[in-house]
Structure formats: structure tokens, C-alpha cells
Amino acid sequence: MTDITTVAVLGTGVLGSQIAFQSAYSGFPVVAYDISEEALNSARERFERLAATYRAEVPGAAEGTRVDDALARLSLTTSLADAAKADLVIEAVPEVLDLKREVYSRLSELASENTIFATNSSTLLPSDIVDFTGRPERFLALHFANRVWKFNTGEVMGTEHTAPEVFDAVMRFADAIGMVPIAIRKEKAGYVLNSLLVPLLNAGMGLAAGGYASVADIDKTWRIATGAPMGPLQMLDVIGLNTPYNILTHSSTGDQALAAWLKENYIDQGKLGVATGEGFYRYA
């Protein structure tokens, strides 16, 4: 049986930091990697905010020392070699195929042959990356939803090369960190979640970009009609606008006109969503 006892997360952005914190909160020692000390300083702030969020939102987290213990299990590094020592390396770098391939090419030279690599790519197929991993049988996708402590799916998707015992080990890991493991039986860009979600988000942006309705009314319509707590543009602010921009720009099915609108009106103005205090909405 393949056992996972230590974890590394490559990339400490919105979702990468959540994956790292949730893994540490569940008892795993975690190495969080990013490319610069500036990025790691931002990660430290995210972890502190996550600690406060868990205490406020996760049942039982405000009692005892579990949140403090999670922070103690997290170590941060700019050394990819340090991250490569983990049993499981979860990649959460920006959604740019060439960048992911470059990271795996470097990682494959540093990691033990027994290390499992998992991509958290939102829309790219594992088979787009597998040739750069140096271990096709120990590579697959493990996809999380934003706000992992609440929306706790863990979608596991291999390639035709992924060893069954590796797939099973990652399913067990997802369960061990409080996710609901979802086995994806064939490769599908977007898995289950984003195959449903991305068309909604793009439709919301398309309505706003085309001037058909205001941002607030687009979201209001979705909330009233479906009972959902957030509309598509509110969701995008939580996700962070760099992510949809990268998907629109680099995906084979991306909408370049919509990407240009998002860049001109939001990205270039530093309006990246909740993390920067303003996106489609302004935040305190």
C-alpha cells in the first residue's frame, strides 16, 4: 500500500494556501513552496487569515489547539528541492500550461522516484502535463473547490498511465484531510465541478461585458432564481480574477475578447477580487 505522510504544495495563492492549511489542520506536516520571499510573506498573511476563518467557521476549531497546531505544521520555502522531499507534491501554480510543464520538469529531477505528483489544475488535462513529470504512473490530478473547509470536494483524475494504487492512495488522502473524494473515471477538462461552473462564470462575465445588465443585477438574478448564496461575479471575486483571465487566455476554448475586457477593466487596474479589496465589487 502506498502511504502518504508528508505533503508539499507548490504555489501559495488563494487555493494553494487553502490546500496547505487544510492538510496541516488535518495532521499532515506541510511544506508550502513559492518563488520568492515576497510571495512567502503574502502566504504567511493568508495562513493567519485562514486561521481566523477556521476559528470562526469550522465547528470545533475555536476550541483547543488544533488551529495553532496546523500553523506549527506549516513550513515555507523558496527551495523546490525542499518541497520535493514530500510523499505527495500538490501543484497549484497559475493556470498556464508552459509554466506547469516547466515546474514538473524541474521537480522530476529533484524528487524521489516514489513521490506522487498531483496537479490542482482547474481546466487542463493531466495528459497535457504527464510527459514532463518523469513518473507517469505516479502522476494524476487532485482538484479542490475554493473555500476547501466548506466546499470540500476532492476530485481525483488520473491518466491512462496512473497506477491504480496511486489513484487509491490519493483518494484516501483526500478523505483524510476532510474532503469528499470524487473519482473521475475518464479524463475531462474541468472535472465535474468546473465543467458545470466555468460556463456559468463565463456567461456572467459575458453579460457584464456586453452591457446587458449591471454586475449587481446579474448576481441578484442568479441568487433569486436558484437560491444560491452568491452570483457568478461574486464567485469570481472570491476565486480571484487572475484565474479566469489565465483560463480565458490559455485554454483552447478560451474567449479572447472576454479576456481582453477582463484585463482592461479589472486586471490592469489592480482589481483582482476579494484579495485586493476590489474586483467586480469593493470590499472593506
Side-chain angles (χ1 to χ4, degrees):
M1 180 182 291
T2 299
D3 292 323
I4 295 170
T5 59
T6 57
V7 181
V9 178
L10 309 184
T12 59
V14 172
L15 198 50
S17 59
Q18 291 180 22
I19 297 167
F21 193 90
Q22 179 68 24
S23 299
Y25 185 76
S26 302
F28 288 85
V30 178
V31 175
Y33 164 85
D34 221 313
I35 58 174
S36 68
E37 286 298 331
E38 181 181 6
L40 294 186
N41 287 334
S42 296
R44 291 183 181 94
E45 294 175 1
R46 286 193 183 94
F47 290 142
E48 290 294 339
R49 289 196 297 271
L50 283 168
T53 298
Y54 273 56
R55 290 188 176 102
E57 297 186 13
V58 177
E63 304 162 8
T65 63
R66 192 170 175 185
V67 169
D68 290 332
D69 292 344
L71 289 169
R73 291 189 193 99
L74 284 162
S75 59
L76 289 83
T77 186
T78 57
S79 168
L80 193 60
D82 288 345
K85 296 173 184 176
D87 297 326
L88 171 65
V89 178
I90 302 171
E91 168 266 309
V93 305
E95 198 77 341
V96 179
L97 181 57
D98 288 344
L99 176 59
K100 289 182 184 289
R101 287 173 169 175
E102 178 188 350
V103 168
Y104 280 107
S105 294
R106 294 170 55 206
L107 186 64
S108 67
E109 298 175 354
L110 299 168
S112 159
E113 62 182 14
N114 295 320
T115 301
I116 297 171
F117 294 168
T119 180
N120 180 58
S121 172
S122 299
T123 56
L124 299 171
L125 292 172
S127 58
D128 292 334
I129 304 169
V130 65
D131 290 344
F132 296 81
T133 67
R135 62 199 64 225
E137 72 289 348
R138 302 186 75 78
F139 170 71
L140 75 179
L142 172 59
H143 182 251
F144 297 80
N146 195 34
R147 297 176 66 84
V148 301
W149 62 92
K150 183 176 182 181
F151 305 119
N152 61 327
T153 55
E155 297 175 285
V156 182
M157 180 170 70
T159 72
E160 61 181 356
H161 306 291
T162 305
E165 63 268 23
V166 170
F167 191 96
D168 291 344
V170 174
M171 288 283 286
R172 291 194 302 272
F173 170 76
D175 180 67
I177 63 169
M179 301 298 102
V180 177
I182 306 295
I184 309 299
R185 302 182 184 281
K186 295 193 297 184
E187 273 196 292
K188 173 71 172 72
Y191 313 81
V192 173
L193 175 60
N194 280 333
S195 292
L196 298 168
L197 181 61
V198 169
L200 167 66
L201 302 181
N202 287 348
M205 286 190 288
L207 289 168
Y212 296 104
S214 70
V215 165
D217 282 346
I218 292 165
D219 283 340
K220 184 190 302 181
T221 301
W222 184 254
R223 293 196 308 270
I224 293 172
T226 66
M230 290 191 290
L233 301 167
Q234 289 174 293
M235 285 188 259
L236 283 163
D237 269 359
V238 173
I239 293 166
L241 302 192
N242 274 329
T243 295
Y245 175 72
N246 285 332
I247 293 171
L248 288 167
T249 303
H250 297 284
S251 169
S252 59
T253 58
D255 185 327
Q256 299 304 312
L258 193 55
W261 171 83
L262 189 61
K263 182 175 187 296
E264 179 181 350
N265 291 280
Y266 296 94
I267 305 292
D268 286 350
Q269 297 182 36
K271 300 176 182 179
L272 306 182
V274 173
T276 60
E278 186 173 2
F280 292 110
Y281 298 88
R282 289 183 178 179
Y283 303 88

